[in-house]
Amino acid sequence: QKMPGLNVLGGDNRIDGVTQFVKDGDSAKIGNLDIKCYTTPCHTTGHICYFVVDSEKDEKVVFTGDTLFLGGCGRFFEGTAEQMYAALVEKLGSLPKETKVYCGHEYSLQNLAYGAHVEPDNQDIQAKIKFAREKREQTPPVPTVPSTIQEEMHINPFMRVNEPSVQEHAGTTGKGGIETMRALRAEKDNFKPKK
């Protein structure tokens, strides 16, 4: 332990330094920050998202690691479409819409290119691509995060798996959101954006 007395929360015993293992529904408090843990296995079996509310500023954020990205989601390395559906649509999708989303990597342009492939007529995706390009073309490049839960529900095909346009693209009309999630992830795993 490099910092004696430092409490490190985590959900996977493969992570060095974790001093307190957490599970779905666990909570913690740091000053005026209230933290709720959401188990979101799929990318990895021990993945946790942290929903944080600043009670003084009435600000809400969620740290999603490799589960939810701006415009996308993590690969299903250790999990299933059912698990990612539960994580994105049922758990994270139920957070307050104004919640800011902080993901673990900057994959925004790649993810948005895929979103535009899935829904070429989605103007929210087109506007976010323009925003992301402007940010990433600056010197040095500027991060595109955070987004919000509401924004993700308009631009992220993996959070839009119950939308008819997304199901039509996936060839899963009438088969439900989980089958659409499975089809989209399989396609995205091999997707190459047009230059």
Side-chain angles (χ1 to χ4, degrees), residues 3-190:
M3 296 285 297
L6 180 67
N7 199 17
V8 178
L9 306 180
D12 194 324
N13 61 11
R14 296 174 289 182
I15 300 170
D16 291 336
V18 172
T19 61
Q20 180 181 341
F21 287 93
V22 294
K23 62 187 179 319
D24 201 52
D26 283 354
S27 60
K29 188 164 182 65
I30 302 171
N32 58 316
L33 302 178
D34 294 308
I35 304 165
K36 184 171 181 185
C37 303
Y38 287 90
T39 304
T40 54
C42 187
H43 185 73
T44 61
T45 55
H47 198 284
I48 302 282
C49 291
Y50 299 95
F51 176 58
V52 182
V53 176
D54 183 329
S55 57
E56 286 182 8
K57 297 180 181 176
D58 193 32
E59 189 172 6
K60 300 167 185 73
V61 301
V62 63
F63 295 94
T64 59
D66 292 338
T67 295
L68 172 62
F69 294 108
L70 192 153
C73 74
R75 291 179 182 250
F76 302 175
F77 286 137
E78 298 178 359
T80 65
E82 290 82 359
Q83 289 173 316
M84 190 60 82
Y85 182 89
L88 295 181
V89 177
E90 296 171 356
K91 290 182 180 181
L92 298 177
S94 69
L95 293 176
K97 303 304 179 232
E98 70 274 15
T99 301
K100 293 178 183 175
V101 178
Y102 288 90
C103 54
H105 304 279
E106 177 69 57
Y107 298 148
S108 302
L109 283 169
Q110 301 93 314
N111 289 338
L112 292 165
Y114 178 68
H117 168 74
V118 173
E119 291 186 286
D121 297 328
N122 183 322
Q123 294 306 304
D124 294 319
I125 294 173
Q126 297 303 325
K128 196 64 176 180
I129 289 171
K130 181 178 186 292
F131 163 86
R133 281 191 182 135
E134 288 170 0
K135 294 282 188 183
R136 300 308 292 161
E137 288 171 357
Q138 292 183 38
T139 305
V142 175
T144 61
V145 296
S147 60
T148 65
I149 292 294
Q150 181 169 349
E151 204 173 10
E152 292 301 325
M153 295 176 96
H154 290 280
I155 65 170
N156 190 327
F158 297 98
M159 290 191 79
R160 294 174 55 76
V161 293
N162 292 312
E163 294 294 323
S165 57
V166 175
Q167 290 187 359
E168 183 177 332
H169 170 85
T172 57
T173 300
K175 295 181 181 175
I178 292 171
E179 290 309 312
T180 304
M181 180 76 70
R182 188 181 331 277
L184 290 180
R185 187 67 255 179
E187 180 184 45
K188 174 74 164 63
D189 285 350
N190 298 301

